[in-house]
Amino acid sequence: MASSNISFVAIFCLLLLSTMQCHAQLSSTFYDRTCPNALTTIRTSIRRAISSERRMAASLIRLHFHDCFVQGCDASLLLDETPTIVSEKTALPNLGSVRGFGIIEDAKREVEKTCPGVVSCADILAVAARDASTFVGGPSWTVKLGRRDSTTASHTLAETDLPGPFDPLSRLISGFANKGLTTRDMVALSGSHSIGQAQCFLFRDRIYSNGTDIDAGFASTRRRRCPQEDQNGNLAPLDLVTPNQLDNNYFKNLRQRKGLLQSDQVLLSGGSTNDIVLEYSNNPRAFSSDFAAAMIKMGDISPLTGQNGIIRTVCGAIN
């Protein structure tokens, strides 16, 4: 009976290969034998970087997010421009704002010393995001591993698939749904804006709008370092209260009309996400649990596994 079951499963998988449902699965124990110290090595490297610059925690989480939303979690975002590759780094949502590439390269270099050609850059991105979260007081989760690295990038998809700071709620919901993430996942992941900073040009219209959805005092404070013209790159913390702590204060800010980006405040604008925002603002455990679960789901977006993709020696280039 057991052998017939195995045969049936094998045949079933062959039939479904075209839909990628039976490709090698990600596993938390993927490197247990081939590189047992991989996670410790990555953690040490990431913590060193965040100790030097606390803001890097937000940047590393964002790096994983911007990678997974374009072609899946395949480290395509890390590829540099070449005669045959139009880099995602130069796409509008990434240009001049996505950072932390050197930190991932440093972690990769350390791993390569003990396990050359084994651990993918895509997996390092996933682990770095988890380690960044825990280092700044956010939740931890078990990272599933076994992703491989792409040999291509998509500047075009980076321009279209990444959610933007001016997106209306409907577009945010549909954009995440297109990646297999629920509205609840979207709100939980938005909570990563509890840390990090945004450039002036991304919130200028909001703080000068005199709109009813922004606290007047908050807008006035933000105008001090974001004039109506010039100084586009001036930074402001996404959360004024606990800017270096990944917590549920982001959702409390929204209740006070103190979301920095339009795409933040729109989560509490009378739509379908209102109840989730209110729940997270009152229940830090619910946010923490849902954030961890959503990060795991995000890490599952279209990974390259098995014989697909490669293990890059240097994250910024094809071997």
Side-chain angles (χ1 to χ4, degrees), residues 5-43:
N5 282 342
I6 292 171
S7 299
F8 175 76
V9 170
I11 293 169
F12 188 63
C13 276
L14 285 172
L15 290 172
L16 289 177
L17 271 177
S18 61
T19 61
M20 299 178 68
Q21 294 182 42
C22 283
H23 282 188
Q25 297 298 303
L26 301 181
S27 164
S28 61
T29 60
F30 189 82
Y31 297 115
D32 281 8
R33 291 187 178 183
T34 56
C35 193
N37 294 321
L39 298 190
T40 302
T41 303
I42 296 168
R43 184 186 305 117

Side-chain angles (χ1 to χ4, degrees), residues 184 187-188 248-257 264-265 267-287 290:
R184 193 175 184 87
V187 178
N248 72 326
N249 206 73
Y250 166 82
F251 300 101
K252 295 178 182 179
N253 292 339
L254 299 186
R255 295 185 71 168
Q256 298 172 34
R257 297 178 297 135
D264 292 324
Q265 196 61 51
L267 300 180
L268 191 65
S269 57
S272 59
T273 53
N274 271 31
D275 288 346
I276 307 171
V277 170
L278 296 177
E279 178 186 351
Y280 289 161
S281 70
N282 290 321
N283 190 337
R285 286 190 177 183
F287 163 61
D290 284 359

Side-chain angles (χ1 to χ4, degrees), residues 113-125:
K113 289 177 182 178
T114 53
C115 311
V118 174
V119 181
S120 69
C121 299
D123 276 346
I124 292 175
L125 276 174

Side-chain angles (χ1 to χ4, degrees), residues 45-158:
S45 188
I46 296 306
R47 291 194 168 195
R48 186 186 307 120
I50 299 173
S51 294
S52 296
E53 185 192 0
R54 191 84 169 180
R55 180 188 167 206
M56 190 54 68
S59 298
L60 292 171
I61 292 172
R62 186 166 181 249
L63 205 58
H64 181 42
F65 170 67
H66 278 228
D67 177 48
C68 289
F69 261 59
V70 181
Q71 293 191 171
C73 307
D74 61 359
S76 61
L77 175 57
L78 305 183
L79 287 171
D80 292 322
E81 195 94 3
T82 72
T84 57
I85 292 175
V86 183
S87 178
E88 293 169 21
K89 294 179 181 181
T90 58
L92 192 59
N94 297 326
L95 186 63
S97 64
V98 171
R99 55 199 293 274
F101 300 108
I103 306 305
I104 299 300
E105 288 287 10
D106 289 345
K108 172 66 171 174
R109 195 177 303 113
E110 291 301 312
V111 173
E112 285 290 304
K113 289 177 182 178
T114 53
C115 311
V118 174
V119 181
S120 69
C121 299
D123 276 346
I124 292 175
L125 276 174
V127 174
R130 187 272 309 274
D131 292 343
S133 171
T134 57
F135 193 83
V136 293
S140 184
W141 56 90
T142 300
V143 179
K144 291 191 281 184
L145 303 161
R147 299 168 192 81
R148 288 166 67 84
D149 300 323
S150 69
T151 56
T152 63
S154 180
H155 182 100
T156 302
L157 289 179

